[in-house]
Amino acid sequence: MKKLASFLCLALACIFLTACGETPYNFTLKASDTEIYETFMGLSTKQNSFISNVEDNLQGSMATADKNVLTNSLDDFKELNDLILLVMPIFDLGESSSETSAVYSTSNFNNTTYRNIEIFQVERIAVSMQAEESVLNYRMDWSAGGIVIDYTLKVAFNDSLNQNEYTINMSFQDSNTAVNSFTKTYLIRYEKASSYFYFELKDTPTSLNALEAEYYILSDDYYIARIRECTYVNSVPNYTGTDIMFNNYNGRVKYGEYSTQKPASIKGLTDITYTSFALLSDSDRASTLSRYSFEITDGRVKVNKVTRGN
């Protein structure tokens, strides 16, 4: 009798989830069958398709303020996507053992400046050894367009994590306008066995302000990511966090202000489930800071929010 009751409860739960348009997916790790370059390029394509679909369907009854939060959250992922794509040709070279890349496609970029680079071709120009670490220099020189990108790549093995870490210093110079010129320092980790990416981006190697991002490509073709942005104000860290979860054209986006509390890592999927990720939790609802969650289903956007504890 108890077994029958348990079965009925499980069946009713599944029926309830299905009736509400929810499928009880399991978030489980999925090994990649490709290296870092191809894996991220595929992820980028899927993410941009999802974001474009959401942006195309942002009409309707959404309040302007809520729409602005969602748009800004998606812009964060688009900007991060572009900054990562700027260094991906290095990994393409590393995987092919070539000295010069093929002409790199700019179709996945969102920034018009990057999309307009007609000949994005990266060349390895020097290799040296520093303290048993390989240091490689690369350059992308599109003289016709006035854009030069210089890279320095250092590969080091992290004993505690038992994996390689990639540190890249990038200088993007646009002779057409100083506004588009900038430098970035990247720390990148990739775990092929779990399709997991970690990125840390700073304006300078010693900067306290930082952008951290994690990505997973999970089973059932789900993609999840978390961005943590830290900005120091009067020597005090201030965090914001943005989550994204999607499968084809449906998904969720969550944005929150976290003050001095750093949003947790999603590595290892601890406490990360389909029924909780990118949704407002009880702690979110009790927060005195703003939190927003957007559920996107078949082009429709549902907004849940807590604005300063209300």
Side-chain angles (χ1 to χ4, degrees):
M1 193 67 172
K2 289 183 178 180
K3 290 183 178 180
L4 177 60
S6 298
F7 173 78
L8 289 174
C9 287
L10 178 60
L12 287 172
C14 291
I15 293 171
F16 175 77
L17 288 169
T18 303
C20 294
E22 296 282 352
T23 304
Y25 291 105
N26 293 318
F27 274 1
T28 54
L29 300 178
K30 175 185 178 182
S32 174
D33 57 2
T34 57
E35 300 297 334
I36 184 170
Y37 170 77
E38 287 189 30
T39 304
F40 189 83
M41 294 303 291
L43 188 158
S44 173
T45 300
K46 295 283 188 178
Q47 178 180 266
N48 281 357
S49 295
F50 169 73
I51 291 176
S52 294
N53 182 68
V54 175
E55 291 176 332
D56 289 343
N57 291 280
L58 279 182
Q59 309 302 320
S61 59
M62 282 186 69
T64 300
D66 297 340
K67 186 183 297 186
N68 289 341
V69 172
L70 177 56
T71 299
N72 291 338
S73 298
L74 295 175
D75 283 346
D76 288 342
F77 280 99
K78 290 163 66 174
E79 181 178 2
L80 175 65
N81 170 82
D82 287 359
L83 289 173
I84 295 172
L85 289 181
L86 285 173
V87 301
M88 275 296 126
I90 292 177
F91 293 102
D92 185 31
L93 279 180
E95 291 170 19
S96 66
S97 299
S98 175
E99 295 297 320
T100 305
S101 73
V103 176
Y104 184 65
S105 173
T106 59
S107 60
N108 272 15
F109 284 108
N110 298 286
N111 186 299
T112 302
T113 297
Y114 310 150
R115 289 183 67 89
N116 288 341
I117 299 177
E118 295 180 3
I119 304 176
F120 196 147
Q121 194 169 35
V122 176
E123 181 181 5
R124 182 183 298 147
I125 58 178
V127 179
S128 62
M129 293 293 292
Q130 296 180 5
E132 300 182 355
E133 295 174 341
S134 299
V135 178
L136 302 96
N137 296 319
Y138 300 85
R139 168 168 287 191
M140 193 293 292
D141 186 356
W142 184 38
S143 300
I147 293 176
V148 176
I149 310 176
D150 283 305
Y151 311 87
T152 299
L153 167 67
K154 180 187 293 185
V155 183
F157 189 77
N158 187 314
D159 291 320
S160 62
L161 296 175
N162 194 35
Q163 67 177 121
N164 282 331
E165 290 184 329
Y166 307 90
T167 301
I168 301 172
N169 293 318
M170 183 190 74
S171 171
F172 185 99
Q173 300 296 325
D174 184 350
S175 62
N176 302 302
T177 169
V179 175
N180 289 333
S181 299
F182 62 92
T183 61
K184 287 289 179 187
T185 296
Y186 301 71
L187 176 65
I188 301 175
R189 303 182 188 122
Y190 170 61
E191 295 181 7
K192 184 177 179 181
S194 59
S195 298
Y196 171 80
F197 289 92
Y198 171 84
F199 301 95
E200 179 190 69
L201 283 70
K202 296 182 177 181
D203 290 337
T204 67
T206 58
S207 175
L208 293 176
N209 295 342
L211 182 70
E212 290 181 287
E214 300 171 282
Y215 285 90
Y216 265 118
I217 304 172
L218 299 174
S219 61
D220 298 321
D221 291 324
Y222 264 92
Y223 296 73
I224 64 173
R226 172 165 292 169
I227 297 177
R228 297 182 294 270
E229 187 164 11
C230 177
T231 304
Y232 275 76
V233 180
N234 296 325
S235 301
V236 177
N238 186 67
Y239 291 96
T240 57
T242 306
D243 293 342
I244 189 172
M245 180 194 87
F246 60 93
N247 179 337
N248 295 323
Y249 298 114
N250 294 329
R252 303 173 189 151
V253 179
K254 178 183 175 183
Y255 169 79
E257 299 171 352
Y258 294 88
S259 186
T260 59
Q261 181 181 358
K262 183 178 181 178
S265 170
I266 63 173
K267 191 174 190 304
L269 298 186
T270 303
D271 299 326
I272 303 296
T273 65
Y274 175 86
T275 55
S276 65
F277 189 74
L279 293 175
L280 294 186
S281 64
D282 290 341
S283 60
D284 289 322
R285 297 186 187 283
S287 173
T288 58
L289 300 169
S290 298
R291 308 282 169 86
Y292 293 81
S293 178
F294 303 88
E295 297 181 68
I296 299 96
T297 306
D298 298 330
R300 298 185 299 274
V301 182
K302 177 184 176 182
V303 184
N304 292 288
K305 61 182 179 179
V306 176
T307 306
R308 298 190 182 277
N310 295 325

